[in-house]
Amino acid sequence: MADPQLHPTVEATATEIASMEVRGAAPIAAAAASALRAQAVESTAATPAGFESTLRAAGRRLQATRPTAVSLPNALRYVLQRMDGETVGGLRASVIRAADEFVDRLDRAQADLGAVGANRLRDGDRVMTHCHSTDALACIEAAVEQGKGISAVVKETRPRNQGHITARELRDLGVDVTLIVDSAARRYLGAVDHVLVGADSIAADGSLINKIGTSGLAVNARDRGTPIMAAAQTIKLHPDTLTGHTVEIEMRDESEVVDSETRAEIGDIAVENPAFDVTPPRYVDAIITERGQFPPESIVTLMRELFGESVGEPWEEPTGETE
Ligand SMILES: O=P(O)(O)OC[C@H]1O[C@H](OP(=O)(O)O)[C@H](O)[C@@H]1O
């Protein structure tokens, strides 16, 4: 049941993230920060403690939607750790400021990352993509803006076919696009210059957590000698993995894989639908961030610089202070 304290925008955003109407790690982060902002703007809390408690409840509601993309908790951390003030008005202003700053930084980071990624692409290059990643597309967009001619082989990316979104967006950029089924990827790998994917999370050891199918693609790409680059803003770096935590892989509903008619036909056959997989760092050539490109094994240095060794969960109520 919806929490009556929560602003309708928080509920709506949480529902849209869970149903994947809002999807892609960066768009999810922006939506979550904006939802906290809406909660702050219209909060009717009478006391500073009440205001903070409601913002944390909104954070918990958003955090509980999807488990794999770390951009979501990183967005909540950014905003909630900057919530500061002695009065409701002061607290409200701090949340609005932090949310606006976060979204602004996100936009700038993607543009900066795009410029870094574009430097790896030469005029005439052919790129293979998997799923739909706004960070990955920013690299191709920047290359096209530099006047480079780029063509693309786009994997459709079952079960939700987000490759179709990539195909349309690349076509609109003027890229020559060929759409293929996922199982055709190996056949085309010898004829592409790069595999370019996004990331939902990057672990401290440089592992790439991305849409299911990425790891098989990366192994095949290595076998064919095709370099693989992952475009990932630093909000995709997973700080919990610094202390040994693993990244939870989201299991989604079987209805994304089989329709109800097929479900009835196949009877008691189990269907599983993992949304992501883990690509070991040795299969990834470069992680492209707004801070430059990194070999996966060195990403831990950047993570320590950005997060330190400890990260909080500012959406949790401090012990003994529930309201
Ligand atoms: O942040 P951007 O680059 O847009 O997307 C990053 C990743 O998010 C997507 O996951 P989903 O479609 O939300 O399950 C894909 O796995 C994509 O590579």
Side-chain angles (χ1 to χ4, degrees):
M1 221 194 42
D3 182 337
Q5 285 188 100
L6 297 185
H7 189 268
T9 301
V10 172
E11 277 300 336
T13 304
T15 304
E16 284 164 5
I17 293 172
S19 67
M20 293 180 65
E21 280 162 75
V22 172
R23 51 146 296 280
I28 287 171
S34 302
L36 289 181
R37 186 189 199 283
Q39 179 76 52
V41 168
E42 298 198 24
S43 169
T44 53
T47 63
F51 180 94
E52 288 180 298
S53 177
T54 314
L55 263 289
R56 284 194 287 265
R60 288 195 296 279
R61 176 72 184 93
L62 294 160
Q63 163 68 356
T65 50
R66 294 186 73 193
T68 306
V70 73
S71 53
L72 174 56
N74 281 347
L76 301 175
R77 271 187 198 108
Y78 189 96
V79 176
L80 294 177
Q81 283 173 344
R82 286 165 178 77
M83 177 165 70
D84 186 37
E86 302 298 320
T87 61
V88 169
L91 288 164
R92 177 179 289 124
S94 71
V95 171
I96 292 171
R97 198 164 47 240
D100 288 346
E101 200 176 83
F102 179 80
V103 173
D104 186 48
R105 284 172 72 128
L106 204 61
D107 291 343
R108 272 186 290 134
Q110 195 163 71
D112 291 349
L113 168 157
V116 174
N119 288 337
R120 290 181 67 92
L121 304 177
R122 292 155 306 177
D123 187 28
D125 273 358
R126 196 164 207 218
V127 173
M128 183 180 285
T129 64
H130 182 63
C131 200
H132 172 258
S133 154
T134 56
D135 281 355
L137 286 181
C139 301
I140 299 180
E141 185 172 5
V144 169
E145 279 169 6
Q146 290 170 359
K148 295 172 183 167
I150 304 290
S151 60
V153 176
V154 173
K155 295 175 75 239
E156 60 180 0
T157 319
R158 279 272 289 156
R160 294 181 68 103
N161 291 326
Q162 292 112 319
H164 293 188
I165 308 171
T166 303
R168 285 194 300 273
E169 292 186 0
L170 287 177
R171 178 202 57 200
D172 293 347
L173 287 175
V175 170
D176 180 22
V177 175
T178 303
L179 185 68
I180 60 167
V181 297
D182 296 307
S183 43
R186 187 178 166 86
R187 182 178 169 85
Y188 288 83
L189 274 171
V192 300
D193 302 288
H194 311 265
V195 170
L196 171 60
V197 297
D200 291 83
S201 285
I202 303 279
D205 69 351
S207 294
L208 164 66
I209 295 88
N210 193 48
K211 182 60 53 183
I212 191 79
T214 303
S215 63
L217 175 63
V219 172
N220 274 325
R222 177 52 45 88
D223 185 50
R224 285 286 173 114
T226 312
I228 175 158
M229 57 202 258
Q233 300 179 47
T234 54
I235 53 153
K236 316 283 180 68
L237 303 181
H238 204 308
D240 292 337
T241 61
L242 281 166
T243 48
H245 291 267
T246 52
V247 178
E248 182 183 342
I249 300 295
E250 178 182 8
M251 299 297 289
R252 294 191 61 82
D253 198 86
E254 64 170 32
S255 61
E256 293 182 346
V257 179
V258 285
D259 59 24
S260 50
E261 202 179 314
T262 313
R263 175 73 272 179
E265 277 166 17
I266 64 175
D268 61 0
I269 293 173
V271 176
E272 293 199 352
N273 183 19
F276 302 100
D277 63 21
V278 182
T279 303
R282 65 183 179 279
Y283 295 109
V284 178
D285 291 276
I287 297 174
I288 312 298
T289 79
E290 73 277 18
R291 300 278 298 261
Q293 64 166 353
F294 295 82
E297 292 79 4
S298 75
I299 206 75
V300 64
T301 313
L302 181 61
M303 286 176 80
R304 287 219 177 88
E305 181 191 322
L306 293 174
F307 297 105
E309 288 295 340
S310 68
V311 282
E313 297 198 329
W315 46 86
E316 297 297 346
E317 287 297 329
T319 26
E321 278 186 40
T322 44
E323 176 152 333

